[in-house]
Short mmCIF file of all heavy atoms in Angstrom, two decimals:
data_model
loop_
_atom_site.label_atom_id
_atom_site.label_comp_id
_atom_site.label_asym_id
_atom_site.label_seq_id
_atom_site.Cartn_x
_atom_site.Cartn_y
_atom_site.Cartn_z
N SER L 241 93.38 -23.01 -44.92
CA SER L 241 94.19 -21.95 -44.33
C SER L 241 94.66 -20.97 -45.39
O SER L 241 94.64 -19.75 -45.19
CB SER L 241 95.41 -22.53 -43.62
OG SER L 241 95.00 -23.18 -42.44
N LEU L 242 95.06 -21.50 -46.56
CA LEU L 242 95.61 -20.62 -47.62
C LEU L 242 94.56 -19.70 -48.19
O LEU L 242 94.87 -18.60 -48.66
CB LEU L 242 96.21 -21.47 -48.74
CG LEU L 242 97.47 -22.24 -48.39
CD1 LEU L 242 97.92 -23.10 -49.58
CD2 LEU L 242 98.59 -21.28 -47.98
N CYS L 243 93.29 -20.13 -48.14
CA CYS L 243 92.22 -19.33 -48.74
C CYS L 243 92.05 -17.99 -48.01
O CYS L 243 91.47 -17.05 -48.55
CB CYS L 243 90.92 -20.12 -48.74
SG CYS L 243 89.77 -19.59 -50.03
N MET L 244 92.57 -17.90 -46.79
CA MET L 244 92.54 -16.62 -46.07
C MET L 244 93.71 -15.73 -46.49
O MET L 244 93.88 -14.64 -45.96
CB MET L 244 92.60 -16.87 -44.55
CG MET L 244 91.32 -17.41 -43.96
SD MET L 244 89.99 -16.19 -43.97
CE MET L 244 90.42 -15.22 -42.52
N GLN L 245 94.52 -16.22 -47.40
CA GLN L 245 95.73 -15.51 -47.85
C GLN L 245 96.57 -15.03 -46.67
O GLN L 245 96.82 -13.83 -46.52
CB GLN L 245 95.34 -14.35 -48.78
CG GLN L 245 94.59 -14.89 -50.02
CD GLN L 245 94.31 -13.82 -51.05
OE1 GLN L 245 94.09 -12.67 -50.73
NE2 GLN L 245 94.32 -14.22 -52.33
N PRO L 246 97.02 -16.00 -45.87
CA PRO L 246 97.76 -15.64 -44.66
C PRO L 246 99.19 -15.19 -44.99
O PRO L 246 99.72 -15.54 -46.05
CB PRO L 246 97.79 -16.95 -43.86
CG PRO L 246 97.74 -18.01 -44.91
CD PRO L 246 96.90 -17.47 -46.03
N LYS L 247 99.78 -14.47 -44.06
CA LYS L 247 101.18 -14.08 -44.22
C LYS L 247 102.12 -15.15 -43.69
O LYS L 247 103.27 -15.21 -44.06
CB LYS L 247 101.44 -12.78 -43.46
CG LYS L 247 100.70 -11.58 -44.02
CD LYS L 247 101.00 -10.33 -43.21
CE LYS L 247 100.22 -9.13 -43.72
NZ LYS L 247 100.17 -8.05 -42.72
N ILE L 248 101.59 -15.94 -42.74
CA ILE L 248 102.42 -16.96 -42.09
C ILE L 248 101.59 -18.25 -42.01
O ILE L 248 100.38 -18.22 -41.76
CB ILE L 248 102.77 -16.52 -40.64
CG1 ILE L 248 103.59 -15.22 -40.66
CG2 ILE L 248 103.52 -17.63 -39.89
CD1 ILE L 248 103.70 -14.55 -39.30
N MET L 249 102.26 -19.39 -42.22
CA MET L 249 101.57 -20.67 -42.04
C MET L 249 102.23 -21.45 -40.91
O MET L 249 103.45 -21.58 -40.85
CB MET L 249 101.66 -21.51 -43.34
CG MET L 249 100.71 -21.05 -44.45
SD MET L 249 98.97 -21.41 -44.12
CE MET L 249 98.90 -23.17 -44.39
N LEU L 250 101.39 -21.97 -40.02
CA LEU L 250 101.88 -22.75 -38.88
C LEU L 250 101.39 -24.20 -39.06
O LEU L 250 100.19 -24.42 -39.32
CB LEU L 250 101.32 -22.17 -37.59
CG LEU L 250 101.57 -20.68 -37.37
CD1 LEU L 250 100.72 -20.14 -36.23
CD2 LEU L 250 103.05 -20.42 -37.09
N PHE L 251 102.28 -25.15 -38.91
CA PHE L 251 101.92 -26.55 -39.08
C PHE L 251 102.27 -27.30 -37.80
O PHE L 251 103.43 -27.36 -37.40
CB PHE L 251 102.69 -27.18 -40.25
CG PHE L 251 102.33 -26.64 -41.61
CD1 PHE L 251 102.92 -25.48 -42.10
CD2 PHE L 251 101.40 -27.28 -42.40
CE1 PHE L 251 102.59 -24.99 -43.35
CE2 PHE L 251 101.06 -26.79 -43.65
CZ PHE L 251 101.67 -25.65 -44.13
N ASP L 252 101.26 -27.89 -37.16
CA ASP L 252 101.51 -28.63 -35.92
C ASP L 252 101.45 -30.13 -36.21
O ASP L 252 100.36 -30.71 -36.24
CB ASP L 252 100.47 -28.22 -34.86
CG ASP L 252 100.77 -28.85 -33.51
OD1 ASP L 252 101.84 -29.48 -33.36
OD2 ASP L 252 99.91 -28.73 -32.61
N GLU L 253 102.57 -30.74 -36.44
CA GLU L 253 102.67 -32.17 -36.78
C GLU L 253 101.66 -32.57 -37.86
O GLU L 253 100.84 -33.46 -37.63
CB GLU L 253 102.47 -33.03 -35.51
CG GLU L 253 103.47 -32.67 -34.42
CD GLU L 253 103.77 -33.85 -33.51
OE1 GLU L 253 103.75 -34.99 -33.97
OE2 GLU L 253 104.04 -33.60 -32.31
N PRO L 254 101.76 -31.95 -39.01
CA PRO L 254 100.72 -32.15 -40.04
C PRO L 254 100.66 -33.56 -40.62
O PRO L 254 99.65 -33.94 -41.20
CB PRO L 254 101.10 -31.16 -41.14
CG PRO L 254 102.57 -30.94 -40.96
CD PRO L 254 102.81 -31.04 -39.48
N THR L 255 101.74 -34.35 -40.46
CA THR L 255 101.71 -35.69 -41.05
C THR L 255 101.71 -36.80 -40.02
O THR L 255 101.72 -37.97 -40.37
CB THR L 255 102.93 -35.90 -41.99
OG1 THR L 255 104.13 -35.69 -41.22
CG2 THR L 255 102.91 -34.91 -43.15
N SER L 256 101.65 -36.44 -38.74
CA SER L 256 101.79 -37.47 -37.71
C SER L 256 100.58 -38.38 -37.61
O SER L 256 100.69 -39.50 -37.10
CB SER L 256 102.02 -36.81 -36.33
OG SER L 256 103.20 -36.05 -36.39
N ALA L 257 99.41 -37.92 -38.08
CA ALA L 257 98.22 -38.76 -37.99
C ALA L 257 97.95 -39.50 -39.29
O ALA L 257 96.89 -40.11 -39.44
CB ALA L 257 97.01 -37.91 -37.61
N LEU L 258 98.91 -39.43 -40.22
CA LEU L 258 98.65 -40.00 -41.55
C LEU L 258 99.30 -41.36 -41.72
O LEU L 258 100.35 -41.65 -41.15
CB LEU L 258 99.21 -39.06 -42.63
CG LEU L 258 98.59 -37.68 -42.71
CD1 LEU L 258 99.31 -36.85 -43.76
CD2 LEU L 258 97.12 -37.78 -43.05
N ASP L 259 98.66 -42.20 -42.54
CA ASP L 259 99.29 -43.44 -42.95
C ASP L 259 100.53 -43.10 -43.78
O ASP L 259 100.52 -42.11 -44.51
CB ASP L 259 98.31 -44.28 -43.79
CG ASP L 259 97.17 -44.80 -42.94
OD1 ASP L 259 97.37 -44.94 -41.72
OD2 ASP L 259 96.07 -45.05 -43.49
N PRO L 260 101.56 -43.93 -43.70
CA PRO L 260 102.83 -43.61 -44.36
C PRO L 260 102.69 -43.25 -45.83
O PRO L 260 103.34 -42.32 -46.31
CB PRO L 260 103.66 -44.88 -44.19
CG PRO L 260 103.08 -45.54 -43.00
CD PRO L 260 101.64 -45.18 -42.95
N GLU L 261 101.78 -43.94 -46.54
CA GLU L 261 101.73 -43.70 -47.98
C GLU L 261 101.07 -42.35 -48.32
O GLU L 261 101.07 -41.93 -49.47
CB GLU L 261 101.01 -44.86 -48.70
CG GLU L 261 99.50 -44.87 -48.55
CD GLU L 261 99.03 -45.66 -47.33
OE1 GLU L 261 99.87 -45.88 -46.41
OE2 GLU L 261 97.86 -46.04 -47.28
N MET L 262 100.54 -41.69 -47.31
CA MET L 262 99.88 -40.41 -47.58
C MET L 262 100.72 -39.22 -47.16
O MET L 262 100.37 -38.06 -47.40
CB MET L 262 98.55 -40.34 -46.83
CG MET L 262 97.54 -41.31 -47.39
SD MET L 262 96.12 -41.38 -46.35
CE MET L 262 95.23 -42.66 -47.22
N ILE L 263 101.85 -39.52 -46.52
CA ILE L 263 102.65 -38.42 -45.97
C ILE L 263 103.21 -37.55 -47.09
O ILE L 263 103.17 -36.32 -47.01
CB ILE L 263 103.78 -39.00 -45.09
CG1 ILE L 263 103.14 -39.58 -43.81
CG2 ILE L 263 104.80 -37.95 -44.74
CD1 ILE L 263 104.10 -40.25 -42.87
N ASN L 264 103.68 -38.18 -48.15
CA ASN L 264 104.34 -37.40 -49.19
C ASN L 264 103.41 -36.44 -49.93
O ASN L 264 103.81 -35.33 -50.28
CB ASN L 264 105.03 -38.33 -50.19
CG ASN L 264 106.38 -38.78 -49.63
OD1 ASN L 264 107.00 -38.05 -48.86
ND2 ASN L 264 106.82 -39.96 -50.01
N GLU L 265 102.15 -36.86 -50.13
CA GLU L 265 101.25 -35.97 -50.85
C GLU L 265 101.03 -34.67 -50.07
O GLU L 265 100.85 -33.60 -50.68
CB GLU L 265 99.89 -36.67 -51.13
CG GLU L 265 99.10 -37.04 -49.90
CD GLU L 265 97.90 -37.95 -50.21
OE1 GLU L 265 98.09 -39.04 -50.81
OE2 GLU L 265 96.77 -37.55 -49.87
N VAL L 266 101.10 -34.76 -48.74
CA VAL L 266 100.95 -33.56 -47.92
C VAL L 266 102.27 -32.76 -47.90
O VAL L 266 102.28 -31.54 -48.06
CB VAL L 266 100.51 -33.94 -46.48
CG1 VAL L 266 100.56 -32.72 -45.55
CG2 VAL L 266 99.10 -34.52 -46.50
N LEU L 267 103.37 -33.50 -47.76
CA LEU L 267 104.68 -32.82 -47.74
C LEU L 267 104.94 -32.08 -49.06
O LEU L 267 105.49 -30.97 -49.07
CB LEU L 267 105.81 -33.81 -47.46
CG LEU L 267 105.84 -34.38 -46.02
CD1 LEU L 267 106.99 -35.36 -45.89
CD2 LEU L 267 105.95 -33.26 -45.00
N ASP L 268 104.52 -32.69 -50.17
CA ASP L 268 104.71 -32.04 -51.47
C ASP L 268 104.06 -30.68 -51.52
O ASP L 268 104.63 -29.71 -52.03
CB ASP L 268 104.15 -32.93 -52.60
CG ASP L 268 105.01 -34.16 -52.85
OD1 ASP L 268 106.15 -34.19 -52.32
OD2 ASP L 268 104.53 -35.10 -53.51
N VAL L 269 102.83 -30.62 -50.97
CA VAL L 269 102.11 -29.35 -50.94
C VAL L 269 102.88 -28.34 -50.09
O VAL L 269 103.02 -27.15 -50.46
CB VAL L 269 100.67 -29.54 -50.38
CG1 VAL L 269 100.01 -28.19 -50.12
CG2 VAL L 269 99.85 -30.38 -51.34
N MET L 270 103.43 -28.82 -48.96
CA MET L 270 104.15 -27.90 -48.06
C MET L 270 105.47 -27.44 -48.67
O MET L 270 105.87 -26.28 -48.51
CB MET L 270 104.39 -28.60 -46.72
CG MET L 270 103.09 -28.83 -45.94
SD MET L 270 103.28 -30.01 -44.59
CE MET L 270 104.53 -29.18 -43.61
N VAL L 271 106.12 -28.33 -49.40
CA VAL L 271 107.38 -27.96 -50.07
C VAL L 271 107.09 -26.86 -51.11
O VAL L 271 107.80 -25.85 -51.19
CB VAL L 271 108.04 -29.20 -50.74
CG1 VAL L 271 109.17 -28.77 -51.68
CG2 VAL L 271 108.56 -30.14 -49.67
N ALA L 272 106.01 -27.07 -51.88
CA ALA L 272 105.67 -26.08 -52.90
C ALA L 272 105.40 -24.73 -52.26
O ALA L 272 105.81 -23.67 -52.76
CB ALA L 272 104.44 -26.55 -53.69
N LEU L 273 104.73 -24.78 -51.13
CA LEU L 273 104.39 -23.55 -50.40
C LEU L 273 105.66 -22.83 -49.93
O LEU L 273 105.81 -21.61 -50.07
CB LEU L 273 103.53 -23.94 -49.20
CG LEU L 273 102.62 -22.92 -48.57
CD1 LEU L 273 101.70 -22.32 -49.62
CD2 LEU L 273 101.81 -23.58 -47.47
N ALA L 274 106.60 -23.63 -49.41
CA ALA L 274 107.87 -23.07 -48.93
C ALA L 274 108.62 -22.44 -50.09
O ALA L 274 109.20 -21.35 -49.96
CB ALA L 274 108.71 -24.17 -48.28
N LYS L 275 108.62 -23.08 -51.22
CA LYS L 275 109.35 -22.57 -52.37
C LYS L 275 108.70 -21.30 -52.93
O LYS L 275 109.36 -20.50 -53.59
CB LYS L 275 109.46 -23.64 -53.44
CG LYS L 275 110.39 -24.76 -52.96
CD LYS L 275 110.87 -25.68 -54.03
CE LYS L 275 112.04 -26.52 -53.49
NZ LYS L 275 112.10 -27.86 -54.08
N ASP L 276 107.38 -21.14 -52.65
CA ASP L 276 106.69 -19.91 -53.05
C ASP L 276 107.05 -18.73 -52.15
O ASP L 276 106.58 -17.62 -52.36
CB ASP L 276 105.16 -20.10 -52.99
CG ASP L 276 104.62 -20.75 -54.25
OD1 ASP L 276 105.43 -20.93 -55.20
OD2 ASP L 276 103.43 -21.07 -54.29
N GLY L 277 107.82 -19.01 -51.10
CA GLY L 277 108.26 -17.92 -50.25
C GLY L 277 107.39 -17.68 -49.01
O GLY L 277 107.50 -16.65 -48.36
N MET L 278 106.53 -18.65 -48.66
CA MET L 278 105.68 -18.50 -47.46
C MET L 278 106.55 -18.59 -46.19
O MET L 278 107.48 -19.38 -46.13
CB MET L 278 104.63 -19.64 -47.45
CG MET L 278 103.72 -19.64 -46.24
SD MET L 278 102.68 -18.18 -46.09
CE MET L 278 101.37 -18.55 -47.25
N THR L 279 106.22 -17.74 -45.24
CA THR L 279 106.86 -17.83 -43.92
C THR L 279 106.19 -18.99 -43.18
O THR L 279 104.97 -19.02 -43.07
CB THR L 279 106.63 -16.53 -43.14
OG1 THR L 279 107.02 -15.43 -43.95
CG2 THR L 279 107.41 -16.53 -41.83
N MET L 280 106.98 -19.93 -42.69
CA MET L 280 106.39 -21.12 -42.10
C MET L 280 107.12 -21.56 -40.83
O MET L 280 108.33 -21.51 -40.77
CB MET L 280 106.43 -22.31 -43.10
CG MET L 280 105.55 -22.13 -44.32
SD MET L 280 105.96 -23.22 -45.73
CE MET L 280 105.54 -24.83 -45.11
N ILE L 281 106.33 -21.98 -39.84
CA ILE L 281 106.89 -22.75 -38.73
C ILE L 281 106.25 -24.14 -38.82
O ILE L 281 105.02 -24.25 -38.90
CB ILE L 281 106.60 -22.13 -37.35
CG1 ILE L 281 107.22 -20.75 -37.24
CG2 ILE L 281 107.14 -23.03 -36.24
CD1 ILE L 281 107.00 -20.09 -35.87
N VAL L 282 107.07 -25.15 -38.84
CA VAL L 282 106.55 -26.50 -39.02
C VAL L 282 107.07 -27.39 -37.90
O VAL L 282 108.27 -27.59 -37.76
CB VAL L 282 106.99 -27.09 -40.38
CG1 VAL L 282 106.36 -28.47 -40.58
CG2 VAL L 282 106.63 -26.17 -41.54
N VAL L 283 106.15 -27.88 -37.07
CA VAL L 283 106.53 -28.88 -36.06
C VAL L 283 106.41 -30.23 -36.73
O VAL L 283 105.33 -30.62 -37.17
CB VAL L 283 105.60 -28.81 -34.84
CG1 VAL L 283 105.88 -29.96 -33.89
CG2 VAL L 283 105.73 -27.48 -34.13
N THR L 284 107.51 -30.93 -36.87
CA THR L 284 107.46 -32.21 -37.58
C THR L 284 108.69 -33.05 -37.27
O THR L 284 109.72 -32.53 -36.81
CB THR L 284 107.36 -31.99 -39.11
OG1 THR L 284 107.15 -33.25 -39.74
CG2 THR L 284 108.62 -31.36 -39.66
N HIS L 285 108.54 -34.33 -37.51
CA HIS L 285 109.71 -35.23 -37.43
C HIS L 285 110.15 -35.64 -38.82
O HIS L 285 110.99 -36.54 -38.95
CB HIS L 285 109.37 -36.47 -36.60
CG HIS L 285 109.26 -36.17 -35.14
ND1 HIS L 285 108.60 -36.97 -34.26
CD2 HIS L 285 109.70 -35.11 -34.43
CE1 HIS L 285 108.63 -36.43 -33.06
NE2 HIS L 285 109.31 -35.30 -33.14
N GLU L 286 109.56 -35.03 -39.84
CA GLU L 286 109.94 -35.38 -41.22
C GLU L 286 111.25 -34.69 -41.56
O GLU L 286 111.29 -33.58 -42.03
CB GLU L 286 108.83 -34.95 -42.18
CG GLU L 286 107.52 -35.73 -42.01
CD GLU L 286 107.70 -37.22 -42.30
OE1 GLU L 286 108.58 -37.57 -43.11
OE2 GLU L 286 106.95 -38.01 -41.70
N MET L 287 112.34 -35.39 -41.30
CA MET L 287 113.65 -34.77 -41.46
C MET L 287 114.00 -34.55 -42.93
O MET L 287 114.76 -33.67 -43.27
CB MET L 287 114.71 -35.62 -40.75
CG MET L 287 114.53 -35.62 -39.24
SD MET L 287 114.63 -33.92 -38.58
CE MET L 287 113.16 -33.80 -37.60
N GLY L 288 113.41 -35.38 -43.82
CA GLY L 288 113.61 -35.16 -45.25
C GLY L 288 113.08 -33.79 -45.66
O GLY L 288 113.71 -33.05 -46.42
N PHE L 289 111.92 -33.46 -45.11
CA PHE L 289 111.31 -32.16 -45.38
C PHE L 289 112.20 -31.05 -44.85
O PHE L 289 112.44 -30.04 -45.53
CB PHE L 289 109.92 -32.11 -44.73
CG PHE L 289 109.26 -30.76 -44.79
CD1 PHE L 289 108.59 -30.35 -45.93
CD2 PHE L 289 109.30 -29.91 -43.70
CE1 PHE L 289 108.00 -29.10 -45.99
CE2 PHE L 289 108.70 -28.66 -43.74
CZ PHE L 289 108.04 -28.26 -44.90
N ALA L 290 112.71 -31.25 -43.63
CA ALA L 290 113.57 -30.23 -43.02
C ALA L 290 114.82 -29.98 -43.87
O ALA L 290 115.20 -28.85 -44.14
CB ALA L 290 113.97 -30.67 -41.61
N ARG L 291 115.43 -31.06 -44.32
CA ARG L 291 116.62 -30.95 -45.14
C ARG L 291 116.33 -30.18 -46.42
O ARG L 291 117.14 -29.40 -46.90
CB ARG L 291 117.06 -32.38 -45.54
CG ARG L 291 118.42 -32.79 -45.00
CD ARG L 291 118.70 -34.18 -45.51
NE ARG L 291 118.66 -35.13 -44.40
CZ ARG L 291 119.77 -35.56 -43.81
NH1 ARG L 291 120.93 -35.15 -44.18
NH2 ARG L 291 119.67 -36.41 -42.81
N LYS L 292 115.15 -30.45 -46.99
CA LYS L 292 114.83 -29.90 -48.31
C LYS L 292 114.51 -28.41 -48.27
O LYS L 292 114.98 -27.64 -49.11
CB LYS L 292 113.63 -30.68 -48.90
CG LYS L 292 113.61 -30.70 -50.43
CD LYS L 292 112.40 -31.43 -50.96
CE LYS L 292 112.50 -32.95 -50.82
NZ LYS L 292 111.31 -33.64 -51.38
N VAL L 293 113.72 -27.97 -47.27
CA VAL L 293 113.23 -26.58 -47.34
C VAL L 293 113.52 -25.72 -46.10
O VAL L 293 113.32 -24.50 -46.18
CB VAL L 293 111.71 -26.52 -47.63
CG1 VAL L 293 111.39 -27.10 -49.00
CG2 VAL L 293 110.91 -27.20 -46.54
N ALA L 294 113.94 -26.34 -45.01
CA ALA L 294 114.06 -25.53 -43.79
C ALA L 294 115.25 -24.56 -43.89
O ALA L 294 116.31 -24.90 -44.42
CB ALA L 294 114.25 -26.41 -42.57
#
Side-chain angles (χ1 to χ4, degrees):
Chain L
S241 288
L242 291 177
C243 205
M244 286 291 280
Q245 299 186 327
K247 293 180 183 162
I248 298 166
M249 284 289 286
L250 307 167
F251 293 85
D252 186 8
E253 303 208 33
T255 58
S256 300
L258 297 176
D259 291 335
E261 75 271 20
M262 292 171 184
I263 290 177
N264 279 332
E265 63 190 56
V266 172
L267 290 180
D268 288 346
V269 170
M270 292 165 60
V271 168
L273 203 55
K275 291 196 167 148
D276 276 354
M278 178 63 79
T279 308
M280 293 162 68
I281 298 182
V282 184
V283 173
T284 187
H285 288 160
E286 294 297 332
M287 293 301 129
F289 173 81
R291 244 182 249 261
K292 208 182 285 181
V293 296

